[in-house]
Amino acid sequence: MAATRIVQQVSIFLENKSGRLAEVCTTLGAHDINIRALCIADTSDFGILRLIVNDPAKAASVLQQAGFSVGQTSVIALQIPDRPGGLGGVLEKLEAVGINVEYMYAFFVRREGDAVVLFRVADDVLESTIRLLQEANVPILSAEDVYAL
Amino acid sequence: MAAIYNPRYETIAREELQQLQLERLQATINRCYKNVPFYRRRLEALGMEPEDFQSLDDLRQLPFTTKQDLRDSYPYDLVALPLREVVRFHLSSGTTGSPTVIAYTANDLAHWTELVARNLVAGEITREDVVQIFFGYGLFSGGFGLHQGAEAIGASVLPVSEAELPQQVKIMQDFRSTALIGMPSYALAIAEAMEAAGVDANSLSLRVGLFGAEPWSEERRQAIEERLHIRAYDIYGLSEMGGPGVSGECPERCGLHLAEDHYLVEVVDPATGEPLPEGEEGELVFTTLTKEALPLLRYRSGDLSALDSAPCACGRTVARMRRVCCRTDDMVIIHGINVFPADVATVLASFPEVSEHFQLVVEQVGVLDELEVRVELAPQFFSDTIRGLEGLEQEIADKIRANLGVGVAVKLVEPKTIERSIGKAKRVLDLRDKE
């Protein structure tokens, strides 16, 4: 079932000032939420912190209560062979059909010796991307597997 | 002693002035009662008739006229004469959504011209001067007002209006302009353009400048005087009173001489509306004494100042007002455009991505004033890409420009980071140079 293949990522808007990143992590820690993967995109004025956690709905809720502006985004987690060219092969498949990867980042931990990489594509091509990757036999992690990593 | 354009009225004895003001006030109230339903209703509600105004103090029984009253009567409801008597309109600078209108009869224009001429003469401008005016000519009253006054005293006028800076510099060089008239921030921008082009102020013929239409500090005056090698004078007006010409400095520079034979000026406590003793700072409230097309009774200007009616060393007896540097509301004047936070709020309300908490930050960048709108993101945000958020900032800025006519930079900030205060929200942070 495709729906469980969609992973919820928590995104937090941060102004570029000291202490805010620590506050996010402390808040999550205080609510027993574990960060599984993260990436930061930033400009000179602001940044977006993207997190994969074990309980995205709860994370979004406690961060909003702590005064952060929070969004949830659907992403796909792929299991990719940890060897030269592994990632390139997957990206070529997407490019071949014109699917644009808005951003991607990797998990800290491996799964079965492979790397786990998160992909963000536009919502309207999310389902078709999942189908395409399944047909190409690229292992896609279920949401449950990702939150439990 | 320096020249005075109309000694008869500018050096009038206080007692005679008050008698003149009372006669003109009675005539104005009479016209308002007869011809302006808005004022007729107000007098009737108080059970008053024009004959009940027997002293200048009786005016205090009338409620204030506000900016909102003017907006509500847009465009013609406060005009006291048939349109065939009206020869000109101007609109207040600022929002395009709810402008305020000002109308002039031929007599109103003649009075206006004279009052501006008084300011020009007080600011040392003579018929020998080549006057470069860079106020905008159009619905904004500044350009036309100063133009008429300068022609009336016989100066040679260059209506350069809002031309590009290099052209302003070229005209200043080619025509050997001796006097500059416009907004102080724009005068500094011209100085900057001049310096960038390697033009030495000593090679120019500039002598004097009259600046107004936005608040400016003594610090800014010094910068203008040093960089342009001129003596700079402050002039004051407001579109609701017909534009420039309401008051202006003389060479003593100890306040701006008010045209008290045409305007009755009160200073009131902005909170209670009660009159304040002379010398105390409060809100300026104006009543027109000679306006035919659009007389206004007790108009609340929003400008804070204090009056001094002691005679001035220049010989003028009319009262002087302290230069205005603050307002009672949160209006920001940027590049001569009036920006009301409420209008910004209206634009922001159309974006679900942001909250209703915002702040306007006015900063001086180089010599130009810039307006930044800081707005908190909503607790839930939609785009999680840099491109999406920067796109949102641009979209909001574009809509503010389209609706308010002013260019701004929008900056998204985290929720609950803009200062909250009990009662009135602190909507404006003015970081421009202050005295």
Side-chain angles (χ1 to χ4, degrees):
Chain A
M1 204 177 105
T4 59
R5 303 285 165 194
I6 296 171
V7 177
Q8 287 304 309
Q9 168 194 265
V10 179
S11 307
I12 301 111
F13 175 85
L14 294 174
E15 281 176 70
N16 282 352
K17 47 187 184 188
S18 62
R20 295 300 280 164
L21 188 54
E23 268 186 77
V24 172
C25 298
T26 314
T27 303
L28 293 176
H31 289 88
D32 276 335
I33 296 163
N34 201 357
I35 300 171
R36 310 307 310 158
L38 66 83
C39 91
I40 294 176
D42 67 346
T43 70
S44 56
D45 287 329
F46 62 81
I48 300 164
L49 171 65
R50 303 177 183 125
L51 299 176
I52 300 296
V53 297
N54 54 350
D55 188 346
K58 184 176 169 193
S61 154
V62 299
L63 287 171
Q64 272 182 16
Q65 277 163 24
F68 290 95
S69 185
V70 184
Q72 287 194 61
T73 318
S74 299
V75 296
I76 305 168
L78 301 183
Q79 195 171 325
I80 292 172
D82 190 6
R83 56 170 165 76
L87 183 56
V90 175
L91 288 173
E92 275 168 17
K93 288 184 177 65
L94 295 175
E95 198 185 327
V97 292
I99 290 170
N100 179 40
V101 178
E102 289 183 10
Y103 55 80
M104 54 181 219
Y105 55 101
F107 258 75
F108 309 134
V109 293
R110 292 184 189 198
R111 187 169 193 267
E112 298 159 0
D114 288 344
V116 177
V117 180
L118 291 149
F119 286 75
R120 164 66 185 164
V121 298
D123 283 337
D124 55 358
V125 294
L126 191 61
E127 296 290 352
S128 59
T129 306
I130 290 170
R131 275 199 304 278
L132 175 91
L133 292 167
Q134 281 172 330
E135 284 158 20
N137 292 320
V138 178
I140 306 177
L141 277 70
S142 72
E144 288 72 26
D145 287 344
V146 170
Y147 303 147
L149 267 175
Chain B
M1 191 179 285
I4 294 178
Y5 185 75
N6 189 339
R8 165 79 182 83
Y9 290 104
E10 293 182 81
T11 63
I12 191 170
R14 295 295 302 172
E15 210 165 281
E16 192 189 347
L17 172 68
Q18 281 165 9
Q19 182 57 35
L20 177 76
Q21 287 182 321
L22 179 59
E23 285 164 19
R24 288 180 169 179
L25 175 67
Q26 287 169 333
T28 299
I29 290 176
N30 212 15
R31 276 202 311 277
C32 287
Y33 184 75
K34 278 190 180 139
N35 303 330
V36 186
F38 170 80
Y39 282 124
R40 189 186 183 94
R41 285 195 299 272
R42 286 211 158 166
L43 261 72
E44 283 173 350
L46 292 166
M48 292 182 83
E49 293 194 354
E51 297 72 46
D52 296 330
F53 293 85
Q54 291 304 320
S55 78
L56 292 175
D57 287 345
D58 288 337
L59 180 65
R60 291 177 185 165
Q61 300 180 49
L62 282 181
F64 296 112
T65 303
T66 64
K67 182 104 185 156
Q68 192 57 46
D69 293 328
L70 267 61
R71 287 175 164 184
D72 292 345
S73 53
Y74 175 87
Y76 291 141
D77 289 355
L78 284 175
V79 177
L81 290 167
L83 282 186
R84 65 173 176 277
E85 303 292 338
V86 173
V87 297
R88 174 92 67 80
F89 292 105
H90 282 288
L91 295 189
S92 72
S93 56
T95 64
T96 52
S98 39
T100 56
V101 70
I102 193 82
Y104 308 77
T105 63
N107 281 336
D108 291 336
L109 281 190
H111 285 144
W112 184 23
T113 301
E114 190 205 311
L115 296 188
V116 173
R118 290 184 193 178
N119 293 162
L120 292 165
V121 170
E124 296 188 272
I125 293 180
T126 72
R127 58 179 308 156
E128 308 297 329
D129 280 299
V130 177
V131 177
Q132 180 164 344
I133 298 175
F134 48 82
F135 274 130
Y137 283 63
L139 288 172
F140 172 58
S141 55
F144 279 97
L146 267 302
H147 184 102
Q148 293 155 205
E151 281 189 352
I153 64 168
S156 312
V157 184
L158 292 158
V160 189
S161 194
E162 292 162 312
E164 298 289 315
L165 293 170
Q167 200 192 346
Q168 299 277 3
V169 175
K170 181 169 162 46
I171 285 178
M172 225 157 63
Q173 292 178 291
D174 295 351
F175 288 83
R176 296 188 293 280
S177 307
T178 60
L180 297 178
I181 294 178
M183 275 181 288
S185 60
Y186 203 70
L188 278 174
I190 290 177
E192 181 115 307
M194 209 177 81
E195 287 153 17
V199 177
D200 183 352
N202 280 326
S203 70
L204 300 170
S205 311
L206 293 178
R207 197 176 68 73
V208 68
L210 267 60
F211 305 109
E214 65 186 12
W216 51 311
S217 62
E218 275 302 318
E219 202 176 47
R220 188 165 279 202
R221 170 158 30 206
Q222 276 171 22
I224 290 173
E225 294 192 329
E226 281 164 18
R227 294 169 74 174
L228 290 165
H229 296 196
I230 59 173
R231 210 167 141 76
Y233 291 101
D234 193 10
I235 51 173
Y236 170 84
L238 59 166
S239 66
E240 295 80 5
M241 290 298 113
V246 175
S247 66
E249 285 180 319
C250 70
E252 301 295 326
R253 300 211 293 205
C254 53
L256 290 80
H257 287 286
L258 280 158
E260 285 189 285
D261 50 333
H262 291 269
Y263 303 103
L264 191 65
V265 187
E266 301 169 79
V267 177
V268 304
D269 181 326
T272 64
E274 288 302 311
L276 292 171
E278 180 172 314
E280 277 192 34
E281 185 177 84
E283 182 175 0
L284 294 175
V285 172
F286 291 93
T287 297
T288 64
L289 295 176
T290 53
K291 287 265 185 299
E292 295 178 336
L294 221 153
L296 292 177
L297 305 176
R298 305 197 83 201
Y299 177 71
R300 286 190 85 141
S301 68
D303 288 327
L304 291 174
S305 182
L307 300 190
D308 183 353
S309 63
C312 178
C314 75
R316 290 177 181 81
T317 55
V318 288
R320 285 161 286 136
M321 56 178 262
R322 198 184 296 160
R323 50 195 316 200
V324 174
C325 67
C326 302
R327 288 188 49 85
T328 57
D329 56 22
D330 286 330
M331 186 183 89
V332 180
I333 305 178
I334 188 116
H335 307 299
I337 296 172
N338 301 341
V339 178
F340 289 92
D343 294 323
V344 175
T346 306
V347 172
L348 294 175
S350 65
F351 289 90
E353 297 93 336
V354 297
S355 76
E356 75 273 22
H357 300 290
F358 71 98
Q359 193 167 44
L360 303 182
V361 184
V362 192
E363 260 181 303
Q364 200 179 340
V365 180
V367 295
L368 286 178
D369 295 335
E370 291 193 357
L371 182 59
E372 182 176 82
V373 178
R374 290 183 188 163
V375 58
E376 290 180 7
L377 273 172
Q380 179 160 12
F381 78 92
F382 303 91
S383 171
D384 79 332
T385 61
I386 297 288
R387 190 159 35 104
L389 289 172
E390 287 182 339
L392 175 64
E393 289 180 333
Q394 191 56 49
E395 219 181 306
I396 295 173
D398 288 346
K399 193 157 181 187
I400 288 173
R401 178 188 280 279
N403 287 18
L404 276 67
V406 66
V408 300
V410 173
K411 184 180 180 185
L412 300 173
V413 299
E414 290 175 26
K416 301 193 176 105
T417 54
I418 287 171
E419 191 189 337
R420 313 283 201 269
S421 48
I422 300 155
K424 208 167 164 187
K426 189 166 168 50
R427 287 291 195 213
V428 177
L429 197 60
D430 198 334
L431 304 174
R432 285 184 283 201
D433 52 10
K434 289 281 175 201
E435 280 169 65

